[in-house]
Amino acid sequence: MSVDPSTLRSVILDSAYPPWAPGWDTRTPDFVRALDAFFQACTRDEPCAVAHPGLEARFRAALADLETNPVVATPGPSAGLGPPGTLFYADAQDFAIIVHQLLYDTRAYGGLPLVVDELSRRNPAVWRNVSEVVALRAASLSRAVSLAVECYDRSSYQSRESQAKYGAVDPLVHRVHTYFDADYDICPEWSPHQASPAELRPVRVDVPTLILAGRFDPITPPAWGERVSRTLPDAVFFEFPLGHGAYRSHACPRSIASAFVHDPASRPDARCIAGMSEPRFVTRYRRSPDAWRLLSGLTIAPEPRIAGGVGAALAALILGLILPAGQSLSRRFAAHAEQTTVPRRGLVQATAGLALLFWAALLGALAWTATSEPLLLLVGLPYWAHVVFWIPLVGLALALAAGFELWRDWAGISWGTRVAQLWILGAATVLLAARFAFDL
């Protein structure tokens, strides 16, 4: 903007991070501000306050405890922390960076109080699941690109001494939120060049500028965006009850940005902000930590035992249903076609149908939750998923009844029919029993 503003028609700054902002030094107060805003939002929301009373106090107590008493858990396969069976030790630094990273994403807010509560209570299954989520987020970022910018812009005026002064606002968080402290030591070797004083001065150009900020953003506080707006004569600033990257998080900032792009000379209509609500927190759910393990094992980091087992059972069931259908057509013209009793045929088909219905409903619930409440998957599924998990109970009861009828008719049916119906019942039973294998 400062090099050649004449080439700019308009500018949109989302989650502004100006070069003069001491982002390294103020990591503690910036994180604490976002934490306070988030915990206050939970307190103001009655269902969240009832479901998670004293959440902030429990979070801080867990941080203090984890300093000397780490959680021992087995990481998920996509966490990249070692071969199956490897143990990892999660301490206060891990807890702090997990919550810090999850605060970036507005979509995660609905389930965040629940996850913070479970991690504070040292739930090993949730620690296992969250290790994968954070690893997947980290894999999508380029540390080299980040350091290339940070070291050039900020290394000349930031220091550990300055960070310690800012950190005095919250000694506990400052003590454990040390994940990025290595930057102070890396930058002298990484980038010998530094921004000049002229590059660090606030930009003062008369270009229409729209500045967006999120109230719960843990890394670029709204105060920075507001300060930028005061140095730009033709700037407008809006704050939203969102996290980092307001534009991508909600339709309201997108509509404001669209109006601004079409007519940067006019102040965009921002009445939609008044209609935005604070995060809707999940308080009713079905506890099933293995829901994430199942989804991860099928799609994110396919595990042969999970993806292969489920795929083989589904293929066997469908094949078993298709082949007897073809066989029955040929038998209609056979002189001595065997008689298949209606009760047994109906029970076998009903068992197979319920197995397919269960997996269709389960995969639908996983997909819906991953899209609407992704963090909830680390702990379980929506409350309405209770209905889904009654299906296997009914299906297994039908499988027992079908097996009994098959045993009664055993002497009067051919080996082909015996094998086909045992095949179908076996595959269906495996699929239905997965409800218990995954602690669903």
Side-chain angles (χ1 to χ4, degrees):
M1 291 178 70
S2 60
V3 174
D4 193 1
S6 64
T7 62
L8 300 175
R9 173 179 176 268
S10 59
V11 174
I12 297 177
L13 301 176
D14 189 357
S15 304
Y17 191 26
W20 48 258
W24 295 357
D25 293 351
T26 62
R27 280 177 181 145
T28 294
D30 295 339
F31 184 25
V32 170
R33 179 204 54 79
L35 282 173
D36 289 345
F38 191 80
F39 287 131
Q40 289 167 12
C42 179
T43 301
R44 286 191 296 270
D45 182 78
E46 185 176 354
C48 185
V50 171
H52 309 289
L55 181 61
E56 181 175 7
R58 195 153 49 252
F59 167 73
R60 290 182 170 277
L63 278 181
D65 179 50
L66 286 166
E67 284 191 274
T68 57
N69 185 22
V71 169
V72 181
T74 302
S78 63
L81 297 177
T86 300
L87 298 179
F88 78 95
Y89 296 81
D91 58 16
Q93 184 195 62
D94 297 309
F95 193 17
I97 194 61
I98 284 169
V99 176
H100 183 271
Q101 293 299 298
L102 293 180
L103 277 170
Y104 272 67
D105 187 0
T106 303
R107 290 192 319 135
Y109 287 177
L112 187 52
L114 178 59
V115 170
V116 170
D117 214 347
E118 292 295 325
L119 293 177
S120 298
R121 298 177 190 276
R122 308 172 69 89
N123 185 324
V126 179
W127 273 100
R128 176 200 66 201
N129 295 343
V130 85
S131 72
E132 289 196 276
V133 171
V134 173
L136 290 168
R137 287 174 181 268
S140 67
L141 303 175
S142 173
R143 189 83 173 108
V145 172
S146 174
L147 283 171
V149 175
E150 291 285 341
C151 294
Y152 181 82
D153 285 353
R154 295 176 170 80
S155 63
S156 63
Y157 65 90
Q158 299 189 115
S159 66
R160 291 183 182 275
E161 293 73 23
S162 176
Q163 185 203 43
K165 293 178 182 178
Y166 281 110
V169 68
D170 194 315
L172 172 61
V173 173
H174 175 66
R175 198 165 60 242
V176 301
H177 188 41
T178 58
Y179 185 81
F180 299 102
D181 282 7
D183 292 354
Y184 291 106
D185 303 319
I186 293 173
C187 277
E189 303 296 330
W190 187 268
S191 176
H193 306 290
Q194 298 176 345
S196 66
E199 292 175 285
L200 298 177
R201 295 192 192 106
V203 176
R204 302 179 187 276
V205 295
D206 193 9
V207 175
T209 305
L210 172 66
I211 304 172
L212 312 174
R215 185 183 310 157
F216 307 111
D217 188 339
I219 195 71
T220 54
W224 289 354
E226 189 175 15
R227 181 175 166 186
V228 169
S229 71
R230 292 200 298 268
T231 65
L232 296 171
D234 195 9
V236 287
F237 169 79
F238 297 109
E239 180 180 330
F240 305 86
L242 301 170
H244 188 73
Y247 178 84
R248 67 185 179 188
S249 302
H250 196 276
C252 178
R254 287 196 291 271
S255 68
I256 292 174
S258 177
F260 176 77
V261 169
H262 283 89
D263 184 11
S266 303
R267 183 181 178 87
D269 184 351
R271 286 177 293 180
C272 62
I273 297 178
M276 293 179 67
S277 61
E278 291 195 320
R280 292 187 308 146
F281 299 111
V282 176
T283 55
R284 286 167 56 83
Y285 62 97
R286 188 185 195 284
R287 185 181 297 276
S288 306
D290 273 359
W292 169 263
R293 179 180 161 221
L294 177 61
L295 179 67
S296 176
L298 288 174
T299 60
I300 300 170
E303 293 184 59
R305 290 181 303 170
I306 297 177
V310 172
L314 282 171
L317 179 59
I318 293 171
L319 183 64
L321 291 171
I322 292 173
L323 291 180
Q327 293 172 356
S328 65
L329 290 175
S330 63
R331 286 175 182 155
R332 292 176 62 181
F333 302 98
H336 302 288
E338 66 181 49
Q339 298 298 312
T340 301
T341 63
V342 174
R344 172 165 48 79
R345 184 174 65 241
L347 287 170
V348 172
Q349 291 173 345
T351 303
L354 284 176
L356 294 174
L357 175 63
F358 168 63
W359 274 92
L362 176 58
L363 294 176
L366 290 171
W368 184 92
T369 311
T371 303
S372 304
E373 295 291 351
L375 270 196
L376 176 58
L377 273 175
L378 303 182
V379 180
L381 289 168
Y383 187 77
W384 51 260
H386 273 289
V387 177
V388 175
F389 299 105
W390 280 102
I391 298 175
L393 300 179
V394 178
L396 290 172
L398 289 179
L400 286 173
F404 177 73
E405 289 293 330
L406 183 61
W407 174 74
R408 285 180 55 190
D409 296 339
W410 191 262
I413 57 178
S414 69
W415 274 104
T417 300
R418 294 172 185 172
V419 171
Q421 297 200 345
L422 283 173
W423 179 298
I424 294 172
L425 282 176
T429 300
V430 168
L431 291 171
L432 293 167
R435 175 236 196 272
F436 304 99
F438 285 98
D439 191 26
L440 297 172

